Every structure is written in structure tokens, then in C-alpha cells.
Amino acid sequence: MNKKDVDIITLQSFLDAPDGRLFIGEALKHIPFAIKRFYFINQLADSQAIRGKHAHKNLEQVIFCINGSFDLGLDDGRQKWNIVMNNPAHGVLLKKKVWHTMTNFSPNCVILVVANDYYDENDYIRNYDEFVRYIGE
Ligand code: TYD
């Protein structure tokens, strides 16, 4: 991974041993936008599952792996990165126009995503050739 080209957000955390660790993210502070939507993904029973495989025209998101691990593949049309997501304090900013793929899920993996806008299927580019054409325009 070329760290300077991927924005990693590090959450503050407090360990209250043995009563757990608390992680905090605040909109417009740690998260670089006002949050309009969040979603999470669990029950990733099939380690061969592939999620994502799309880019967004305008949406920006921050993705966290709050339990377990997975591999996040990013592709902005010029460079490709693979980031092993295994630290719940680390969020990756998914900028607009970045093709992203999630693979290699651990059985206990839980993914949390915060987004700067509501769900809009028209904002998705789900075909890779179309993505390449779109970013070339
Ligand atoms: P999708 O974005 O394709 O999932 P992933 O990128 O994680 O593989 O979404 C799966 C389905 O859920 C799809 O039918 C759209 C729907 N969906 C919503 O209705 N609202 C949402 O906020 C999201 C993220 C998905």
C-alpha cells in the first residue's frame, strides 16, 4: 500500500480493562463529512464471498472492520492497493470514483460503513469497463 494516497482515519479509543475498549468517531472531526447513513455487514459465513465490486460517482464513505479481518482492494484507475483491514481503530476513506472490492473475510468479520449521503442506485458504477470509461471522461 502506498500510504500517502490512501486516507486512513484513526479513531480514538479507551481501554477500560477488563470492561472492553471504546472507540469514538465524530462527524466533521475524525470522519471528514457529515454522516447521513451508516450500514454494517455481518454473517460473512463464506470466506470466498466477494462484496463491493463497484465505484460511486459522488458518494464518499469511510469503511471500518470492527471485528475480524478482510482484504480491501482499491483501484482509482491509475493505481491499485490492497489493504488488510484488521484494526477496528482504522477507517479507510473510500473517495468517489474508486473501484472497491472486499474479499477474504474472517468468519467473525463485521464491517461498518459511514456515508455522506443516502442510498442511490444511480450513483453506483457496477461494471468495471464502464468505470474505466467514466474516469477517463
Ligand atoms: P451493495 O451495495 O451491492 O452491497 P456490497 O457493495 O456490500 O456488495 O448492496 C446490496 C443490496 O443492498 C443492493 O440491492 C442495494 C441494497 N442497499 C440498500 O438498499 N441501501 C443501502 O444503503 C445499501 C448499501 C445497499
Side-chain angles (χ1 to χ4, degrees), residues 37 54-57 119-126 130:
R37 178 168 56 110
H54 63 250
H56 287 281
K57 295 173 187 166
Y119 173 72
D120 175 9
E121 186 59 37
N122 292 323
D123 190 66
Y124 280 70
I125 305 168
R126 292 192 183 272
E130 194 190 319

Side-chain angles (χ1 to χ4, degrees), residues 9 25-36 62 114-116:
I9 286 146
E26 293 186 319
L28 302 174
K29 292 186 186 171
H30 314 90
I31 307 296
F33 49 71
I35 298 165
K36 277 197 177 173
V62 178
V114 296
N116 72 346

